[in-house]
Amino acid sequence: MANLVTSSMLWLCLISYAYITIHAAPVWPRGRSTRFYDFKIQTMTVNKLCNSKQIVTVNNMFPGPVVYAQEGDRLIVKVTNESPYNATIHWHGVRQILSCWFDGPSYITQCPIQAGQSFTYEFTMVKQKGTFFWHAHVSWLRATVYGALVVYPKPGVPYPFKYPYEEHIVILGEYWLQDIVQLERQVLASGGGPPPASAYTINGHPGPNYNCSANDLYKIDVVPGKTYLLRLINAGLNMENFFAIANHRLTIVEADAEYTKPFTTDRVMLGPGQTINVLVTADQTIGKYSMAMGPYMSAQNVPFQNISAIAYFQYVGAVPNSLSLPARLPSFNDNLAVKTVMDGLRGLNTSDVPKEIDTNLFLTIGLNVNKCGSKTPQQNCQGLNNGTMSASMNNISFIKPTVSVLEAYYKGIEGYFTDNFPGAPFRFYDFVNGAPNNAPNDTSSMNGTRVKVLEYGTRVQLILQDTGTVTTENHPIHLHGYSFYVVGYGAGNYNPQTASLNLVDPPYMNTIGVPVGGWAAIRFVADNPGVWFMHCHFDIHQSWGLGTVFIVKNGKGHLETLPHPPADLPRC
Ligand code: C2O
């Protein structure tokens, strides 16, 4: 009894304390078990970089509203589409136990919500807490349709680290002056790659390095001596990014909404789809320090935005107009800096790492160039060697069907997908170095909507192997419906004889940046029935087909069976 009183009193203190200090947190969870949110997808006008344009957002906010919950809560989010475009919302990192219908990727688990329609997402944060985000999962709309999803531990459960003085959400993004829907259409029609973003943004703000954005700036005021928790989220479209704060060290305590052993570093790298929580102590002399977001570009010959977005980490008492100390970012191609952070990621609670494997899959990931098939090659074949760019897993470019895979599977409607996604490449060769770089004929991929079916409970290992067919590159591969243990990674071609695996304390993630010209090994138990997309979280690669789908069959009894679809499920 005494213990009970103490812990609930502690929690009360935490609640009232945090209520005051959390950035942009008007609705702090008060221990209710169901939380309702109303999302209106709307177009709004924004002024950035001396340009005014219409962007799509939620509730006229950019970034969109923060969704707060506690572990175990049920979230009910009614999404009304008041924009002229098709829309869906995906809850990135939420495992959606028995709620695949509400996962959100268009044409995988649902048809898009059409203009004027609505759809209510309902799911429970089963054994999950930490920093997540939500984003549109239709075309490239997530360029502006995104926001944070913050899930606190259950009442009375502390963080596994000292409670921070304050916490702040820091969302990294990419911003284009062009209309994103038009841009997507043009790029895909051109057969070539996308242009670089006009600017990077931190919580929607580019900061002083770009044209006329000196005042379009995000800033955290910090009290000397205090420790802050930053919830970093990369919501960018097509870039991986470094993040650093001038003169301050970052202690990673969580990655992809799972605790890690604390690891202190000068900078982190986040691919789109990744989240990292860091602790930062304001232990420097009073002043104004830059928080910087810059590029990590591991591919060859790809143009990218090289100007960093800047925000301020500003001490209370600093002279307001003083110059900020610049943050030191690694150079754009510093693969070692990426590896160092990855080496430091160790899971905190890893007792259930699968030690035995039932199904071992080997998936190559990479780009392709297909032969020009257009009568107007100048317009449509601007890829390498006058071909059209594409991307693939095991050399199959995933084509989204015209109804959702989940609906087709659930209702047994034939003709929308085939279950013959290969568990290994058709041909083994030197994937990293041996690909014929100059022959468009030999670098073509096949198109298909091929899925891999898994029996309920299968213990799966996936080897993800980067290819150099066009260029080697670090690809952020994201799996829906699961987190997975990253049990190994390395440079070059995967070799089971020499690969060393960490089955002791691997990080538990939902998005893995597969090392450039290297491989990663991930493991999970397929115990969540449904249809789950796995894809590169660069939208351009997703559009080019870098993805596949797992169908996990029902097990026994209703706790292992996907429920019926909701009545308001959108129609195609
Ligand atoms: Cu964050 Cu399929 O996506």
Short mmCIF file of all heavy atoms in Angstrom, two decimals, residues 106-159:
data_model
loop_
_atom_site.label_atom_id
_atom_site.label_comp_id
_atom_site.label_asym_id
_atom_site.label_seq_id
_atom_site.Cartn_x
_atom_site.Cartn_y
_atom_site.Cartn_z
N SER A 106 -1.66 3.78 -48.64
CA SER A 106 -2.68 3.70 -49.68
C SER A 106 -2.42 2.51 -50.60
O SER A 106 -1.28 2.21 -50.94
CB SER A 106 -2.70 4.99 -50.50
OG SER A 106 -1.42 5.27 -51.01
N TYR A 107 -3.47 1.84 -50.94
CA TYR A 107 -3.49 0.67 -51.82
C TYR A 107 -2.78 -0.55 -51.21
O TYR A 107 -2.62 -1.57 -51.86
CB TYR A 107 -2.90 0.98 -53.21
CG TYR A 107 -3.67 2.09 -53.88
CD1 TYR A 107 -3.11 3.36 -54.01
CD2 TYR A 107 -4.98 1.89 -54.31
CE1 TYR A 107 -3.83 4.39 -54.58
CE2 TYR A 107 -5.71 2.92 -54.88
CZ TYR A 107 -5.14 4.17 -55.01
OH TYR A 107 -5.86 5.19 -55.56
N ILE A 108 -2.36 -0.43 -49.95
CA ILE A 108 -1.81 -1.60 -49.26
C ILE A 108 -2.84 -2.05 -48.23
O ILE A 108 -3.28 -3.20 -48.25
CB ILE A 108 -0.48 -1.28 -48.56
CG1 ILE A 108 0.51 -0.64 -49.53
CG2 ILE A 108 0.10 -2.55 -47.91
CD1 ILE A 108 0.97 -1.50 -50.67
N THR A 109 -3.27 -1.14 -47.34
CA THR A 109 -4.27 -1.53 -46.34
C THR A 109 -5.60 -0.80 -46.53
O THR A 109 -6.57 -1.12 -45.86
CB THR A 109 -3.79 -1.25 -44.90
OG1 THR A 109 -3.62 0.16 -44.73
CG2 THR A 109 -2.48 -1.95 -44.61
N GLN A 110 -5.62 0.20 -47.38
CA GLN A 110 -6.87 0.91 -47.59
C GLN A 110 -6.83 1.66 -48.92
O GLN A 110 -5.75 1.96 -49.43
CB GLN A 110 -7.13 1.92 -46.47
CG GLN A 110 -6.15 3.10 -46.48
CD GLN A 110 -6.60 4.24 -45.57
OE1 GLN A 110 -6.16 4.33 -44.43
NE2 GLN A 110 -7.49 5.09 -46.08
N CYS A 111 -8.00 1.99 -49.44
CA CYS A 111 -8.08 2.93 -50.54
C CYS A 111 -7.97 4.33 -49.93
O CYS A 111 -8.28 4.52 -48.76
CB CYS A 111 -9.41 2.80 -51.26
SG CYS A 111 -9.62 1.15 -51.97
N PRO A 112 -7.51 5.30 -50.72
CA PRO A 112 -7.37 6.65 -50.17
C PRO A 112 -8.73 7.23 -49.75
O PRO A 112 -9.77 6.84 -50.27
CB PRO A 112 -6.80 7.45 -51.34
CG PRO A 112 -6.29 6.46 -52.31
CD PRO A 112 -7.07 5.20 -52.11
N ILE A 113 -8.66 8.15 -48.80
CA ILE A 113 -9.84 8.92 -48.42
C ILE A 113 -9.99 9.99 -49.50
O ILE A 113 -9.12 10.83 -49.67
CB ILE A 113 -9.65 9.60 -47.05
CG1 ILE A 113 -9.17 8.60 -45.99
CG2 ILE A 113 -10.94 10.29 -46.61
CD1 ILE A 113 -8.70 9.26 -44.70
N GLN A 114 -11.08 9.93 -50.23
CA GLN A 114 -11.24 10.88 -51.33
C GLN A 114 -11.68 12.24 -50.81
O GLN A 114 -12.15 12.35 -49.66
CB GLN A 114 -12.23 10.30 -52.35
CG GLN A 114 -11.64 9.05 -52.99
CD GLN A 114 -12.61 8.31 -53.89
OE1 GLN A 114 -13.58 8.89 -54.38
NE2 GLN A 114 -12.36 7.04 -54.08
N ALA A 115 -11.51 13.24 -51.67
CA ALA A 115 -11.89 14.60 -51.29
C ALA A 115 -13.32 14.61 -50.76
O ALA A 115 -14.22 14.02 -51.36
CB ALA A 115 -11.75 15.53 -52.50
N GLY A 116 -13.51 15.23 -49.61
CA GLY A 116 -14.85 15.33 -49.03
C GLY A 116 -15.25 14.15 -48.15
O GLY A 116 -16.26 14.20 -47.47
N GLN A 117 -14.46 13.09 -48.14
CA GLN A 117 -14.81 11.91 -47.37
C GLN A 117 -14.05 11.90 -46.03
O GLN A 117 -13.12 12.67 -45.83
CB GLN A 117 -14.44 10.63 -48.14
CG GLN A 117 -15.05 10.55 -49.51
CD GLN A 117 -16.56 10.37 -49.45
OE1 GLN A 117 -17.04 9.44 -48.83
NE2 GLN A 117 -17.31 11.28 -50.07
N SER A 118 -14.47 11.00 -45.16
CA SER A 118 -13.70 10.86 -43.92
C SER A 118 -13.54 9.39 -43.56
O SER A 118 -14.25 8.52 -44.08
CB SER A 118 -14.39 11.63 -42.79
OG SER A 118 -15.62 11.03 -42.51
N PHE A 119 -12.61 9.15 -42.67
CA PHE A 119 -12.32 7.80 -42.20
C PHE A 119 -11.78 7.93 -40.78
O PHE A 119 -10.99 8.82 -40.51
CB PHE A 119 -11.30 7.11 -43.12
CG PHE A 119 -10.90 5.72 -42.67
CD1 PHE A 119 -11.85 4.77 -42.36
CD2 PHE A 119 -9.56 5.36 -42.59
CE1 PHE A 119 -11.48 3.48 -41.96
CE2 PHE A 119 -9.17 4.08 -42.18
CZ PHE A 119 -10.15 3.15 -41.88
N THR A 120 -12.25 7.07 -39.89
CA THR A 120 -11.80 7.15 -38.50
C THR A 120 -10.82 6.02 -38.20
O THR A 120 -11.16 4.84 -38.33
CB THR A 120 -13.02 7.08 -37.55
OG1 THR A 120 -13.88 8.18 -37.87
CG2 THR A 120 -12.58 7.19 -36.10
N TYR A 121 -9.62 6.42 -37.83
CA TYR A 121 -8.58 5.46 -37.46
C TYR A 121 -8.73 5.13 -35.98
O TYR A 121 -8.89 6.04 -35.16
CB TYR A 121 -7.19 6.05 -37.73
CG TYR A 121 -6.88 6.24 -39.20
CD1 TYR A 121 -7.28 7.38 -39.88
CD2 TYR A 121 -6.19 5.26 -39.91
CE1 TYR A 121 -7.00 7.56 -41.23
CE2 TYR A 121 -5.91 5.42 -41.26
CZ TYR A 121 -6.31 6.57 -41.91
OH TYR A 121 -6.04 6.74 -43.25
N GLU A 122 -8.68 3.85 -35.66
CA GLU A 122 -8.80 3.42 -34.26
C GLU A 122 -7.77 2.35 -33.98
O GLU A 122 -7.75 1.32 -34.64
CB GLU A 122 -10.18 2.80 -34.01
CG GLU A 122 -11.32 3.77 -34.06
CD GLU A 122 -12.62 3.12 -33.58
OE1 GLU A 122 -12.57 2.34 -32.61
OE2 GLU A 122 -13.65 3.38 -34.20
N PHE A 123 -6.93 2.61 -33.01
CA PHE A 123 -5.91 1.60 -32.67
C PHE A 123 -5.43 1.82 -31.25
O PHE A 123 -5.65 2.87 -30.65
CB PHE A 123 -4.74 1.66 -33.66
CG PHE A 123 -4.14 3.03 -33.82
CD1 PHE A 123 -3.08 3.43 -33.03
CD2 PHE A 123 -4.63 3.92 -34.77
CE1 PHE A 123 -2.52 4.69 -33.17
CE2 PHE A 123 -4.07 5.18 -34.92
CZ PHE A 123 -3.01 5.58 -34.12
N THR A 124 -4.77 0.80 -30.73
CA THR A 124 -4.30 0.83 -29.34
C THR A 124 -2.78 0.77 -29.32
O THR A 124 -2.17 0.05 -30.11
CB THR A 124 -4.90 -0.37 -28.58
OG1 THR A 124 -6.32 -0.28 -28.68
CG2 THR A 124 -4.50 -0.37 -27.11
N MET A 125 -2.21 1.56 -28.42
CA MET A 125 -0.75 1.56 -28.28
C MET A 125 -0.35 0.37 -27.41
O MET A 125 -0.01 0.52 -26.24
CB MET A 125 -0.27 2.87 -27.66
CG MET A 125 -0.57 4.11 -28.47
SD MET A 125 0.05 4.09 -30.17
CE MET A 125 1.78 3.72 -29.92
N VAL A 126 -0.40 -0.82 -27.99
CA VAL A 126 -0.12 -2.03 -27.22
C VAL A 126 1.38 -2.15 -26.96
O VAL A 126 2.17 -2.29 -27.89
CB VAL A 126 -0.60 -3.29 -28.00
CG1 VAL A 126 -0.34 -4.55 -27.18
CG2 VAL A 126 -2.07 -3.17 -28.38
N LYS A 127 1.75 -2.08 -25.70
CA LYS A 127 3.15 -2.22 -25.29
C LYS A 127 4.08 -1.33 -26.10
O LYS A 127 5.18 -1.74 -26.47
CB LYS A 127 3.60 -3.69 -25.42
CG LYS A 127 2.84 -4.61 -24.51
CD LYS A 127 3.56 -5.95 -24.36
CE LYS A 127 2.74 -6.91 -23.54
NZ LYS A 127 2.57 -8.20 -24.19
N GLN A 128 3.62 -0.14 -26.41
CA GLN A 128 4.48 0.79 -27.14
C GLN A 128 4.42 2.17 -26.51
O GLN A 128 3.35 2.63 -26.09
CB GLN A 128 4.04 0.90 -28.60
CG GLN A 128 4.42 -0.31 -29.42
CD GLN A 128 4.34 0.00 -30.90
OE1 GLN A 128 3.27 -0.10 -31.51
NE2 GLN A 128 5.46 0.39 -31.48
N LYS A 129 5.57 2.82 -26.47
CA LYS A 129 5.66 4.19 -25.99
C LYS A 129 6.88 4.83 -26.62
O LYS A 129 7.76 4.12 -27.13
CB LYS A 129 5.80 4.20 -24.47
CG LYS A 129 6.98 3.38 -23.98
CD LYS A 129 7.06 3.35 -22.48
CE LYS A 129 8.06 2.34 -21.96
NZ LYS A 129 7.80 0.95 -22.30
N GLY A 130 6.94 6.14 -26.60
CA GLY A 130 8.10 6.81 -27.16
C GLY A 130 7.71 7.80 -28.24
O GLY A 130 6.58 8.27 -28.30
N THR A 131 8.67 8.11 -29.10
CA THR A 131 8.46 9.11 -30.14
C THR A 131 8.12 8.45 -31.47
O THR A 131 8.92 7.68 -32.00
CB THR A 131 9.72 9.98 -30.31
OG1 THR A 131 10.06 10.53 -29.04
CG2 THR A 131 9.49 11.09 -31.32
N PHE A 132 6.94 8.76 -31.95
CA PHE A 132 6.47 8.27 -33.24
C PHE A 132 6.12 9.49 -34.08
O PHE A 132 6.17 10.61 -33.61
CB PHE A 132 5.20 7.44 -33.09
CG PHE A 132 5.31 6.28 -32.14
CD1 PHE A 132 5.22 6.47 -30.76
CD2 PHE A 132 5.49 5.00 -32.62
CE1 PHE A 132 5.32 5.40 -29.89
CE2 PHE A 132 5.58 3.92 -31.75
CZ PHE A 132 5.49 4.12 -30.39
N PHE A 133 5.70 9.26 -35.31
CA PHE A 133 5.07 10.35 -36.03
C PHE A 133 4.01 9.82 -36.96
O PHE A 133 3.93 8.61 -37.20
CB PHE A 133 6.09 11.25 -36.72
CG PHE A 133 6.79 10.70 -37.94
CD1 PHE A 133 6.70 11.36 -39.16
CD2 PHE A 133 7.58 9.56 -37.88
CE1 PHE A 133 7.38 10.89 -40.29
CE2 PHE A 133 8.26 9.09 -39.00
CZ PHE A 133 8.16 9.75 -40.19
N TRP A 134 3.15 10.71 -37.40
CA TRP A 134 2.13 10.33 -38.38
C TRP A 134 2.43 11.10 -39.66
O TRP A 134 3.02 12.18 -39.63
CB TRP A 134 0.72 10.62 -37.85
CG TRP A 134 0.50 12.03 -37.38
CD1 TRP A 134 0.58 12.50 -36.09
CD2 TRP A 134 0.18 13.17 -38.19
NE1 TRP A 134 0.34 13.84 -36.05
CE2 TRP A 134 0.09 14.29 -37.32
CE3 TRP A 134 -0.03 13.36 -39.55
CZ2 TRP A 134 -0.22 15.57 -37.79
CZ3 TRP A 134 -0.33 14.63 -40.01
CH2 TRP A 134 -0.42 15.72 -39.15
N HIS A 135 2.05 10.51 -40.78
CA HIS A 135 2.25 11.22 -42.05
C HIS A 135 1.29 10.68 -43.09
O HIS A 135 0.81 9.55 -42.98
CB HIS A 135 3.71 11.14 -42.51
CG HIS A 135 4.23 9.74 -42.79
ND1 HIS A 135 3.90 9.02 -43.92
CD2 HIS A 135 5.08 8.94 -42.08
CE1 HIS A 135 4.52 7.86 -43.90
NE2 HIS A 135 5.24 7.76 -42.78
N ALA A 136 1.05 11.50 -44.11
CA ALA A 136 0.24 11.04 -45.23
C ALA A 136 0.96 9.89 -45.90
O ALA A 136 2.19 9.85 -45.94
CB ALA A 136 0.02 12.18 -46.23
N HIS A 137 0.21 8.92 -46.40
CA HIS A 137 0.82 7.79 -47.10
C HIS A 137 0.18 7.62 -48.45
O HIS A 137 -0.28 6.55 -48.82
CB HIS A 137 0.72 6.52 -46.25
CG HIS A 137 1.89 5.57 -46.42
ND1 HIS A 137 2.31 5.09 -47.63
CD2 HIS A 137 2.74 5.03 -45.50
CE1 HIS A 137 3.34 4.27 -47.45
NE2 HIS A 137 3.62 4.23 -46.16
N VAL A 138 0.15 8.73 -49.18
CA VAL A 138 -0.37 8.79 -50.54
C VAL A 138 0.60 9.66 -51.31
O VAL A 138 0.98 10.72 -50.82
CB VAL A 138 -1.74 9.49 -50.58
CG1 VAL A 138 -2.14 9.81 -52.00
CG2 VAL A 138 -2.80 8.65 -49.92
N SER A 139 0.98 9.23 -52.48
CA SER A 139 1.90 10.01 -53.32
C SER A 139 2.96 10.70 -52.46
O SER A 139 3.49 10.10 -51.53
CB SER A 139 1.12 10.97 -54.22
OG SER A 139 0.28 11.81 -53.48
N TRP A 140 3.28 11.96 -52.72
CA TRP A 140 4.34 12.61 -51.94
C TRP A 140 3.77 13.63 -50.96
O TRP A 140 4.47 14.52 -50.50
CB TRP A 140 5.34 13.32 -52.87
CG TRP A 140 6.13 12.39 -53.72
CD1 TRP A 140 6.05 11.03 -53.78
CD2 TRP A 140 7.15 12.76 -54.66
NE1 TRP A 140 6.94 10.52 -54.69
CE2 TRP A 140 7.62 11.57 -55.26
CE3 TRP A 140 7.70 13.98 -55.07
CZ2 TRP A 140 8.63 11.55 -56.23
CZ3 TRP A 140 8.70 13.97 -56.03
CH2 TRP A 140 9.16 12.77 -56.60
N LEU A 141 2.51 13.46 -50.62
CA LEU A 141 1.85 14.44 -49.76
C LEU A 141 2.52 14.59 -48.40
O LEU A 141 2.40 15.62 -47.75
CB LEU A 141 0.39 14.05 -49.52
CG LEU A 141 -0.66 14.52 -50.50
CD1 LEU A 141 -2.02 14.40 -49.85
CD2 LEU A 141 -0.41 15.95 -50.97
N ARG A 142 3.23 13.57 -47.98
CA ARG A 142 3.81 13.68 -46.65
C ARG A 142 4.90 14.73 -46.57
O ARG A 142 5.41 15.03 -45.49
CB ARG A 142 4.28 12.32 -46.14
CG ARG A 142 5.64 11.87 -46.57
CD ARG A 142 5.97 10.50 -45.96
NE ARG A 142 7.08 9.88 -46.65
CZ ARG A 142 8.36 10.12 -46.37
NH1 ARG A 142 8.69 10.96 -45.42
NH2 ARG A 142 9.31 9.52 -47.05
N ALA A 143 5.28 15.31 -47.73
CA ALA A 143 6.22 16.44 -47.70
C ALA A 143 5.74 17.51 -46.71
O ALA A 143 6.54 18.17 -46.07
CB ALA A 143 6.38 17.03 -49.09
N THR A 144 4.43 17.69 -46.61
CA THR A 144 3.92 18.68 -45.65
C THR A 144 2.88 18.11 -44.68
O THR A 144 2.53 18.78 -43.72
CB THR A 144 3.28 19.89 -46.37
OG1 THR A 144 2.29 19.41 -47.28
CG2 THR A 144 4.33 20.70 -47.13
N VAL A 145 2.40 16.90 -44.95
CA VAL A 145 1.38 16.33 -44.07
C VAL A 145 2.04 15.38 -43.07
O VAL A 145 2.19 14.19 -43.33
CB VAL A 145 0.29 15.59 -44.88
CG1 VAL A 145 -0.80 15.07 -43.96
CG2 VAL A 145 -0.31 16.52 -45.94
N TYR A 146 2.52 15.96 -41.97
CA TYR A 146 3.16 15.15 -40.95
C TYR A 146 3.08 15.84 -39.59
O TYR A 146 2.90 17.06 -39.52
CB TYR A 146 4.62 14.84 -41.30
CG TYR A 146 5.53 16.05 -41.47
CD1 TYR A 146 6.04 16.72 -40.36
CD2 TYR A 146 5.90 16.50 -42.73
CE1 TYR A 146 6.90 17.81 -40.50
CE2 TYR A 146 6.76 17.60 -42.88
CZ TYR A 146 7.25 18.25 -41.77
OH TYR A 146 8.08 19.33 -41.91
N GLY A 147 3.24 15.06 -38.55
CA GLY A 147 3.26 15.61 -37.19
C GLY A 147 3.74 14.54 -36.23
O GLY A 147 3.85 13.35 -36.60
N ALA A 148 4.00 14.94 -35.01
CA ALA A 148 4.55 14.00 -34.02
C ALA A 148 3.44 13.22 -33.32
O ALA A 148 2.31 13.69 -33.19
CB ALA A 148 5.38 14.76 -32.99
N LEU A 149 3.76 12.04 -32.89
CA LEU A 149 2.89 11.21 -32.04
C LEU A 149 3.76 10.80 -30.85
O LEU A 149 4.75 10.09 -31.02
CB LEU A 149 2.41 9.98 -32.84
CG LEU A 149 1.81 8.80 -32.08
CD1 LEU A 149 0.65 9.21 -31.20
CD2 LEU A 149 1.35 7.73 -33.06
N VAL A 150 3.41 11.34 -29.69
CA VAL A 150 4.23 11.14 -28.49
C VAL A 150 3.46 10.27 -27.51
O VAL A 150 2.33 10.61 -27.13
CB VAL A 150 4.60 12.48 -27.84
CG1 VAL A 150 5.35 12.26 -26.52
CG2 VAL A 150 5.45 13.31 -28.80
N VAL A 151 4.04 9.16 -27.13
CA VAL A 151 3.37 8.24 -26.23
C VAL A 151 4.20 8.09 -24.96
O VAL A 151 5.36 7.68 -25.01
CB VAL A 151 3.16 6.87 -26.91
CG1 VAL A 151 2.41 5.92 -25.98
CG2 VAL A 151 2.40 7.04 -28.22
N TYR A 152 3.58 8.46 -23.84
CA TYR A 152 4.26 8.41 -22.55
C TYR A 152 4.11 7.03 -21.92
O TYR A 152 3.17 6.30 -22.25
CB TYR A 152 3.69 9.48 -21.62
CG TYR A 152 4.05 10.87 -22.11
CD1 TYR A 152 3.16 11.61 -22.86
CD2 TYR A 152 5.31 11.38 -21.86
CE1 TYR A 152 3.51 12.86 -23.35
CE2 TYR A 152 5.67 12.62 -22.34
CZ TYR A 152 4.77 13.37 -23.08
OH TYR A 152 5.14 14.58 -23.57
N PRO A 153 5.00 6.70 -20.98
CA PRO A 153 4.86 5.43 -20.27
C PRO A 153 3.55 5.40 -19.48
O PRO A 153 2.91 6.42 -19.26
CB PRO A 153 6.06 5.41 -19.32
CG PRO A 153 7.01 6.43 -19.83
CD PRO A 153 6.18 7.46 -20.54
N LYS A 154 3.18 4.22 -19.05
CA LYS A 154 1.97 4.08 -18.21
C LYS A 154 2.15 4.86 -16.91
O LYS A 154 3.29 5.09 -16.49
CB LYS A 154 1.78 2.60 -17.88
CG LYS A 154 1.31 1.79 -19.05
CD LYS A 154 0.97 0.37 -18.61
CE LYS A 154 0.29 -0.34 -19.77
NZ LYS A 154 0.23 -1.79 -19.57
N PRO A 155 1.04 5.22 -16.28
CA PRO A 155 1.14 5.97 -15.03
C PRO A 155 2.08 5.28 -14.05
O PRO A 155 2.00 4.07 -13.85
CB PRO A 155 -0.29 5.96 -14.50
CG PRO A 155 -1.14 5.80 -15.71
CD PRO A 155 -0.35 4.97 -16.68
N GLY A 156 2.98 6.07 -13.47
CA GLY A 156 3.86 5.52 -12.45
C GLY A 156 5.11 4.87 -12.98
O GLY A 156 5.99 4.51 -12.21
N VAL A 157 5.20 4.70 -14.30
CA VAL A 157 6.40 4.07 -14.85
C VAL A 157 7.37 5.17 -15.28
O VAL A 157 7.05 5.97 -16.14
CB VAL A 157 6.05 3.18 -16.06
CG1 VAL A 157 7.30 2.56 -16.66
CG2 VAL A 157 5.04 2.10 -15.65
N PRO A 158 8.54 5.21 -14.67
CA PRO A 158 9.49 6.29 -15.01
C PRO A 158 10.27 5.99 -16.28
O PRO A 158 10.26 4.86 -16.77
CB PRO A 158 10.44 6.29 -13.81
CG PRO A 158 10.44 4.88 -13.33
CD PRO A 158 9.06 4.31 -13.65
N TYR A 159 10.90 7.00 -16.81
CA TYR A 159 11.87 6.78 -17.89
C TYR A 159 13.06 6.03 -17.30
O TYR A 159 13.35 6.17 -16.11
CB TYR A 159 12.39 8.12 -18.42
CG TYR A 159 11.39 8.97 -19.17
CD1 TYR A 159 11.39 10.36 -19.02
CD2 TYR A 159 10.49 8.41 -20.06
CE1 TYR A 159 10.51 11.17 -19.73
CE2 TYR A 159 9.59 9.21 -20.77
CZ TYR A 159 9.61 10.59 -20.60
OH TYR A 159 8.74 11.38 -21.29
#
